[in-house]
Structures are given as C-alpha cells and as structure tokens.
Amino acid sequence: MPRIDADNIEEHVRKQNERILAAADQLFNERGYRGTDMGEIARSIGLARNSLYRYYPSKDHILIACVKRGMADSLARFGSIRDDIDDPVRRIDAWLDLQMEVALGPCHATMQMVGEVPDSSSELRSEIMALHNVPNAVLDQAICEAVRGTDRDPTLLARMIAGMVQAAARLAIDSGESTAITRQLKDSVAAILRA
C-alpha cells in the first residue's frame, strides 16, 4: 500500500500532482516532449508507472497540465490588465509588455512542445488554444475601444498586432535584444493605432 505523505488524501494527491508536473517540466525541457516517456516521469519522482496513470492518462495530458500551470499567473495578469486599465491604448501597451514577457519566458518553451503532440489529440490542442483566448480577448476588446468611431477594422488590427508580437518575440529570442525589440514593437503598434 502506498504511503500517504500528507495530513489527508486530498493534500497527498495535490502534492503528488505538483511533483509529477515539476518532474515532467524538467524532463520536457531537458529532453523534449518526444524524448520523455511516462516511465521516466514516474521514475524521476519514485512513483510506479501504473500509479502515474492514476493521475494522468497520457503524456499529452501531463504536457497540457504543465502548460496550464505555467500560464496561470500570466492569465491572471492579462485579466488584471483588462480589469484595471481603463484607457485602451495604455491597456494595449501593458498587453504588449506582458505578451513579450510570456513569449520570452520558460512557459513559452513548454507551450511550443504542444506542436509535438500527435494530431489525434485534437481535444488537447483545443485546451491549449483556449489558453490563448484570454490574452487575445484582452487585445481585441482594447482595440475595439481604441478605434471606436472610426472606419478601421479592429479584427484586422488585432491580428496584425498579434503577428507583430510573434515576429518580435522570435527576433528577441534569436538575438537576445529583447529590450530594444520590445521598444520598437511598442512604437510600431502606437503608430498603427494613430494612423
């Protein structure tokens, strides 16, 4: 019978789950998604492989849980930007800062591994895409407010800005010049909003 390492079963399950996700995160980042298997995750925390399946039915589910755990703080911060900043242009500026921070942070590397999840895992891909909906909704709402009363297409502007963020993040990762690139990105977005 397995030892319970907590005051109650719920606390034990929570602790064990945290250990699983921490170990999986480390292994995914060291070996990649494909280079890690369920047995290695279980062994790294001293858990029997069949016990690991009680927590997660597959490695895909563990990866998704790692991404969700890694994104929780950022998603809350996107919500704060939406709720706490009234001026839409300032909200977009804060959104850009946070998007670049997320794109350059450790969670983004884990998110990129989702591309390695087999196509048969469409439900899991849907869960990941749902995580993108929170920041996208913040940007969409701010742009709608910023261009209200004009003939500008807020959907087009939002997609253009999102594309610029992706390109800027890639350049920042490749060059290591995140401060200068973020400043240029923000200046370019401000120019687009003024146009």
Side-chain angles (χ1 to χ4, degrees), residues 165-179:
V165 169
Q166 285 182 327
R170 174 54 40 210
L171 283 171
I173 290 167
D174 292 346
S175 71
E177 298 292 327
S178 63
T179 303

Side-chain angles (χ1 to χ4, degrees), residues 54-82:
R54 292 180 186 151
Y55 291 88
Y56 293 98
S58 72
K59 181 173 70 166
D60 299 349
H61 288 86
I62 294 175
L63 177 61
I64 300 304
C66 287
V67 171
K68 285 181 176 180
R69 183 181 83 158
M71 288 290 297
D73 178 61
S74 297
L75 293 176
R77 290 173 62 199
F78 278 113
S80 293
I81 288 170
R82 178 195 61 226

Side-chain angles (χ1 to χ4, degrees), residues 16-29 31-53 55-56 58-64 66:
Q16 197 72 306
N17 189 56
E18 278 301 311
R19 291 178 62 221
I20 291 166
L21 296 181
D25 246 344
Q26 182 176 350
L27 288 167
F28 289 151
N29 286 309
R31 300 178 184 179
Y33 174 79
R34 291 179 191 213
T36 304
D37 66 33
M38 292 287 277
E40 290 170 317
I41 295 169
R43 275 190 304 281
S44 72
I45 60 169
L47 192 65
R49 184 181 177 134
N50 62 340
S51 294
L52 180 58
Y53 284 105
Y55 291 88
Y56 293 98
S58 72
K59 181 173 70 166
D60 299 349
H61 288 86
I62 294 175
L63 177 61
I64 300 304
C66 287

Side-chain angles (χ1 to χ4, degrees), residues 1 24 46 55 61 64 69 83 106-107 124 128 131 141 148 169 184 186:
M1 181 169 189
Y55 291 88
H61 288 86
I64 300 304
R69 183 181 83 158
D83 298 339
C107 184
L124 300 177
I128 290 297
L131 293 174
Q141 179 186 18
R148 186 173 287 133
Q184 277 192 300
K186 291 172 78 170

Side-chain angles (χ1 to χ4, degrees), residues 2-190:
R3 273 193 5 233
I4 303 296
D5 186 26
D7 292 337
N8 57 54
I9 292 175
E10 291 80 18
E11 179 67 13
H12 172 76
V13 168
R14 188 193 64 71
K15 282 182 172 181
Q16 197 72 306
N17 189 56
E18 278 301 311
R19 291 178 62 221
I20 291 166
L21 296 181
D25 246 344
Q26 182 176 350
L27 288 167
F28 289 151
N29 286 309
E30 288 173 1
R31 300 178 184 179
Y33 174 79
R34 291 179 191 213
T36 304
D37 66 33
M38 292 287 277
E40 290 170 317
I41 295 169
R43 275 190 304 281
S44 72
I45 60 169
L47 192 65
R49 184 181 177 134
N50 62 340
S51 294
L52 180 58
Y53 284 105
R54 292 180 186 151
Y55 291 88
Y56 293 98
S58 72
K59 181 173 70 166
D60 299 349
H61 288 86
I62 294 175
L63 177 61
I64 300 304
C66 287
V67 171
K68 285 181 176 180
R69 183 181 83 158
M71 288 290 297
D73 178 61
S74 297
L75 293 176
R77 290 173 62 199
F78 278 113
S80 293
I81 288 170
R82 178 195 61 226
D83 298 339
D84 298 341
I85 302 175
D86 291 331
D87 177 47
V89 174
R90 283 189 49 239
R91 201 175 323 137
I92 292 166
D93 194 60
W95 182 90
L96 290 167
D97 284 333
L98 184 51
Q99 274 293 87
M100 289 298 287
E101 181 183 320
V102 169
L104 299 172
C107 184
H108 191 260
T110 305
M111 279 189 84
Q112 288 184 309
M113 288 183 216
V114 173
E116 297 181 47
V117 174
D119 288 335
S120 60
S121 298
S122 62
E123 78 177 72
L124 300 177
R125 286 183 187 277
S126 294
E127 286 186 49
I128 290 297
M129 293 315 296
L131 293 174
H132 287 286
N133 290 340
V134 173
N136 289 345
V138 173
L139 177 64
D140 292 348
Q141 179 186 18
I143 289 177
C144 282
E145 291 174 27
V147 300
R148 186 173 287 133
T150 71
D151 62 349
R152 304 191 69 201
D153 182 346
T155 303
L156 176 60
L157 287 172
R159 294 308 141 247
M160 286 172 54
I161 291 169
M164 291 169 64
V165 169
Q166 285 182 327
R170 174 54 40 210
L171 283 171
I173 290 167
D174 292 346
S175 71
E177 298 292 327
S178 63
T179 303
I181 290 170
T182 299
R183 187 174 49 252
Q184 277 192 300
L185 170 67
K186 291 172 78 170
D187 290 346
S188 298
V189 169

